[in-house]
Amino acid sequence: MPKMKTNSGAKKRFALTGTGKIKRKHAFKSHILTKKTTKQKRNLTQTDIVSPADEKSIKSLLAIR
């Protein structure tokens, strides 16, 4: 059976932590930033962990077991 290919879009958007969790960035930080508060923009900068409900599907896109 051939190797499973990694989804190119997913490998740019997600990163694996040392403990095996998946890191992601927040949305809504690319444009139309004038109407957003400084606090909102600062909180969108930080990374977050993918929810357990989405972990299985993202791991399949990244070709991780």
Side-chain angles (χ1 to χ4, degrees), residues 42-58:
R42 183 173 63 245
N43 289 335
L44 289 172
T45 300
Q46 296 158 7
T47 57
D48 201 8
I49 302 294
V50 170
S51 68
D54 299 324
E55 241 179 68
K56 188 180 175 185
S57 58
I58 292 169

Side-chain angles (χ1 to χ4, degrees), residues 20-62:
K21 294 176 184 172
I22 303 169
K23 278 196 306 187
R24 68 172 179 87
K25 289 184 179 178
H26 283 98
F28 309 112
K29 186 77 198 315
S30 57
H31 62 108
I32 316 175
L33 299 171
T34 51
K35 62 177 81 169
K36 295 176 182 129
T37 63
T38 311
K39 181 180 178 180
Q40 187 180 3
K41 289 184 277 193
R42 183 173 63 245
N43 289 335
L44 289 172
T45 300
Q46 296 158 7
T47 57
D48 201 8
I49 302 294
V50 170
S51 68
D54 299 324
E55 241 179 68
K56 188 180 175 185
S57 58
I58 292 169
K59 281 188 175 181
S60 71
L61 289 173
L62 295 172

